Amino acid sequence: QVQLVESGGGLVQPGGSLRLSCAASGTIFRIVTMGWYRQAPGKQRELVADITSGGITNYADSVKGRFTISRDNAKNTVYLQMNSLKPEDTAVYYCNAVHLATIGPWGQGTQVTVSS
């Protein structure tokens, strides 16, 4: 089982940037694909980016070219660099594993608010 703690969210103006961090615990971290998810009020949770244990990345069309996911296996940490933020990016952001067999309990998430 992996425990996850997200941080780095906040209030930012459109066009601004934020860097989210996810600190993980558990021996399985180094071998699983990790992802960043977000959930806006009244909407379904969606996967916005993921990264394999070997560093292969994928992005949702809505964030492609603006967000970058990365990981440091030695530190058990996954990051999300968010640039050119838009109001529609406003949501609670969570990290977790991607594959069904390795998804664990959800953490508290970190709030990202993009507003002028």
Side-chain angles (χ1 to χ4, degrees):
Q1 182 174 214
V2 177
Q3 288 187 298
L4 305 161
V5 180
E6 301 94 343
S7 63
L11 175 64
V12 65
Q13 294 184 344
S17 298
L18 286 171
R19 181 175 171 85
L20 308 184
S21 297
C22 172
S25 64
T27 59
I28 200 173
F29 175 81
R30 290 193 294 265
I31 64 172
V32 302
T33 298
M34 296 294 296
W36 281 97
Y37 303 75
R38 68 186 182 188
Q39 187 167 26
K43 295 184 178 180
Q44 189 83 16
R45 180 184 287 115
E46 63 173 339
L47 180 67
V48 299
D50 63 81
I51 183 168
T52 71
S53 61
I56 300 172
T57 60
N58 289 285
Y59 300 92
D61 288 342
S62 59
V63 307
K64 195 171 297 181
R66 300 188 297 119
F67 291 9
T68 303
I69 188 171
S70 61
R71 69 192 294 165
D72 186 337
N73 289 340
K75 296 182 178 180
N76 280 9
T77 303
V78 61
Y79 306 94
L80 187 67
Q81 178 67 47
M82 306 187 296
N83 299 326
S84 302
L85 283 162
K86 305 174 180 180
E88 51 262 47
D89 295 319
T90 296
V92 178
Y93 284 72
Y94 304 87
C95 63
N96 212 326
V98 170
H99 297 295
L100 181 62
T102 53
I103 291 178
W106 297 97
Q108 293 290 105
T110 185
Q111 176 72 50
V112 172
T113 303
V114 185
S115 180
S116 60

